[in-house]
Amino acid sequence: MTDVYADLLVIGAGAAGSTAATTAARAGRLVVMVERSAIGGTCLNDGCDPTKTLLFIAERLYSAQHAKRYGLHIPTVEAKWDEVQAYVQQRLNTIRGGTSDEASQHLEKQGVKVLLGEARFISPHEVVVLNGQGEYTVYAERVILAPGCETIIPDVEGITDTDFISNSEAVDLPVLPRQLAIVGGGAIGIEFAQMFHRFGVKVTVLEHGSILLDKEDREVATHLIESLTQEGIHFKTGIELLRLDKVEWKKQLTFRNSDGVVEVLVVDEILLSIGRKPALERLNLDVAGVETTKKGITVDETLRTNVPHIWAAGDATGGLQFTHLASEQGKLVAQNAFAEHPRSFGKPVIPWVTYTDPPLAHVGKTEEELQQEGVEYRVGRMPFAEVERAISQDETQGFVKLLADTDGKILGGHILGIRADDLLAPIVVAMQAGLTASDLAATILPYPTLGEAVRHAAEKI
């Protein structure tokens, strides 16, 4: 057994943990970081980065297949899956700074000692780290918990005997399935649905709820789902999954549809995407005395747990599960852990994107939320069909939708359309800085650009 001392122990090397560890190391702290899988966490290895790379390639493939409208006649276009996978891994290594081992070495050079293995508390200040090379006991003055999340496995008959995949396996499948069922119609499920469909897979999305993309503004989400349906993706809502079975080399889903009729769907692969839960079970947090709920680790406004020397950041705290949010929390919590007067994380403006083609970008309130809260509001819409740059590129699908109160304060922004993920930025900045729709409308932008759509939506308010 090897004993390791640290000023700060960080559990988890995802966005929150890596940011916290490097922030503390730059401040001269003795930092040890434990990761059970690979440096970078879910987002880099199994989530955001590989899926967005695959979506980018799928969009290029789709554009090439539909290039005749531009006068471009491309005789043959095909995707070689093994070469696609090789490109994805190359990009991930570039983002990570090499393989997981090379990334660990890079962190060591920054002053972060990396231990790969499973961490388990044996006292409030000590954890045991188990890996294939031995057992370590780490004593730390302060601890930051950033273990991330893991896939929720539903309690469905036959699921333990039926091979299924999560996002982790979906991004590096050795062979593309011919038919795929995706269980879950949230952002992750919808992104995978379009990506696999564009690589030639027949995709059916099964959603338990009555609507898809339930966190989005209904008007915008409905337009996106209609577009994806026209592409050829099949959607079923109001589904009750009854059982899963292996049928020779295939997999069978038995479910009750929204009309109460039992249906059977036979596919090559099943992707579970019903949500993610904090990965806390193996940490032994009760020994450390850390309070948790079903949502995750309980923290105050400064991200401190009920145990004074233990802090938490990222997905495991039960809030929005976004990398950009986790990184900001990781930075703050590393500072707060050593601060005499810790700062509150506050309520920053948090945007998010469903990275389909076209993307759906979201910040602030939806129209439905404002109606439920009884807030008086105004709507400004600008369709891309009226934006000259979008017209010139024949990318006129979707629109910009701004929501503001009667004084012009921006309450929400929703964009469905070409480069919506980037076009959301001025709306996020405006909300963070307290600018009004009038301020956006008075801003002169270069012509012709897609950004004019945001200004014109503001003008309509």
Side-chain angles (χ1 to χ4, degrees):
M1 180 178 290
T2 302
D3 294 321
V4 180
Y5 172 84
D7 295 330
L8 176 67
L9 168 65
V10 179
I11 299 178
S18 293
T19 303
T22 53
T23 299
R26 282 195 297 268
R29 309 298 181 180
L30 185 60
V31 181
V32 173
M33 181 167 65
V34 179
E35 168 56 43
R36 68 179 181 274
S37 180
I39 301 300
T42 297
C43 184
L44 174 55
N45 297 287
D46 310 317
C48 320
D49 295 310
T51 57
K52 277 50 179 181
T53 307
L54 286 166
L55 282 163
F56 169 77
I57 299 170
E59 187 274 329
R60 286 291 189 266
L61 174 62
Y62 185 83
S63 295
Q65 291 168 336
H66 296 79
K68 288 184 179 179
R69 58 179 175 164
Y70 303 117
L72 302 176
H73 294 260
I74 304 173
T76 59
V77 182
E78 64 174 320
K80 295 187 176 181
W81 186 244
D82 57 339
E83 295 181 15
V84 169
Q85 288 289 352
Y87 175 84
V88 172
Q89 290 306 313
Q90 180 190 67
R91 295 298 90 197
L92 296 186
N93 285 343
T94 300
I95 295 169
R96 189 192 296 112
T99 64
S100 184
D101 288 341
E102 290 170 338
S104 295
Q105 294 170 12
H106 181 65
L107 286 166
E108 296 270 0
K109 291 178 182 178
Q110 297 182 70
V112 179
K113 182 175 179 58
V114 178
L115 297 178
L116 295 178
E118 199 77 55
R120 180 171 54 85
F121 277 94
I122 56 174
S123 79
H125 282 278
E126 293 175 292
V127 300
V128 168
V129 181
L130 301 171
N131 62 24
Q133 298 176 342
E135 178 177 309
Y136 299 84
T137 299
V138 181
Y139 179 92
E141 295 292 339
R142 298 167 179 82
V143 179
I144 292 176
L145 302 172
C149 285
E150 56 193 4
T151 299
I152 295 174
I153 309 300
D155 184 15
V156 176
E157 185 178 353
I159 195 166
T160 56
D161 300 320
T162 305
D163 295 331
F164 59 86
I165 61 174
S166 66
N167 62 289
S168 299
E169 296 80 22
V171 295
D172 59 2
L173 283 173
V175 179
L176 281 172
R178 292 184 179 181
Q179 294 180 305
L180 171 68
I182 298 178
V183 181
I188 296 174
I190 297 300
E191 289 179 2
F192 273 114
Q194 187 181 44
M195 184 273 285
F196 278 114
H197 173 73
R198 288 189 168 183
F199 278 114
V201 179
K202 183 178 180 181
V203 178
T204 301
V205 177
L206 305 176
E207 166 57 38
H208 177 72
S210 59
I211 58 176
L212 299 156
L213 296 170
D214 62 346
K215 301 294 190 297
E216 302 295 340
D217 186 278
R218 280 299 88 210
E219 180 185 13
V220 186
T222 298
H223 276 74
L224 175 57
I225 296 303
E226 289 175 351
S227 172
L228 296 177
T229 301
Q230 290 173 4
E231 274 197 34
I233 301 170
H234 301 283
F235 296 98
K236 293 178 178 289
T237 57
I239 295 303
E240 180 187 358
L241 191 58
L242 300 177
R243 65 174 291 116
L244 302 180
D245 294 286
K246 285 185 178 180
V247 181
E248 296 181 346
W249 298 104
K250 293 183 178 290
K251 298 162 188 182
Q252 178 176 290
L253 303 94
T254 304
F255 59 90
R256 184 176 290 107
N257 66 24
S258 56
D259 296 323
V261 178
V262 174
E263 293 187 39
V264 171
L265 177 64
V266 179
V267 296
D268 299 298
E269 197 61 81
I270 300 171
L271 169 59
L272 290 185
S273 182
I274 64 172
R276 297 176 63 78
K277 63 179 182 179
L280 306 179
E281 293 179 6
R282 296 178 293 275
L283 286 173
N284 214 18
L285 289 179
D286 55 335
V287 171
V290 175
E291 293 179 357
T292 64
T293 67
K294 291 183 179 180
K295 291 184 177 181
I297 300 168
T298 302
V299 295
D300 63 16
E301 67 277 3
T302 69
L303 304 178
R304 193 200 296 261
T305 71
N306 62 297
V307 181
H309 70 277
I310 300 179
W311 308 70
D315 296 353
T317 59
L320 297 172
Q321 296 175 3
F322 300 129
T323 297
H324 42 287
L325 176 60
S327 293
E328 290 301 312
Q329 289 186 340
K331 185 187 303 181
L332 177 67
V333 79
Q335 298 166 350
N336 280 352
F338 296 93
E340 185 176 349
H341 301 291
R343 292 183 293 115
S344 170
F345 187 68
K347 296 181 179 180
V349 177
I350 307 297
W352 68 79
V353 180
T354 300
Y355 290 91
T356 45
D357 177 28
L360 192 165
H362 171 144
V363 64
K365 299 287 188 177
T366 66
E367 193 166 358
E368 291 72 28
E369 287 173 330
L370 294 177
Q371 291 170 354
Q372 292 172 3
E373 295 169 7
V375 176
E376 188 175 351
Y377 65 94
R378 298 173 182 175
V379 182
R381 295 181 186 84
M382 184 61 188
F384 283 103
E386 297 177 17
V387 178
E388 287 84 347
R389 182 62 180 272
I391 294 171
S392 70
Q393 299 177 197
D394 195 20
E395 297 282 2
T396 56
Q397 182 182 353
F399 53 96
V400 176
K401 179 177 182 178
L402 290 180
L403 304 169
D405 66 15
T406 54
D407 294 323
K409 178 184 177 183
I410 300 172
L411 304 175
H414 309 271
I415 307 177
L416 173 66
I418 177 175
R419 290 180 56 192
D421 44 351
D422 294 321
L423 293 176
L424 190 69
I427 303 174
V428 178
V429 172
M431 293 181 66
Q432 187 71 37
L435 302 179
T436 65
S438 295
D439 295 320
L440 281 179
T443 304
I444 299 175
L445 299 176
Y447 173 90
T449 58
L450 297 169
E452 291 180 291
V454 176
R455 180 187 182 185
H456 294 324
E459 286 176 344
K460 293 189 176 187
I461 288 180

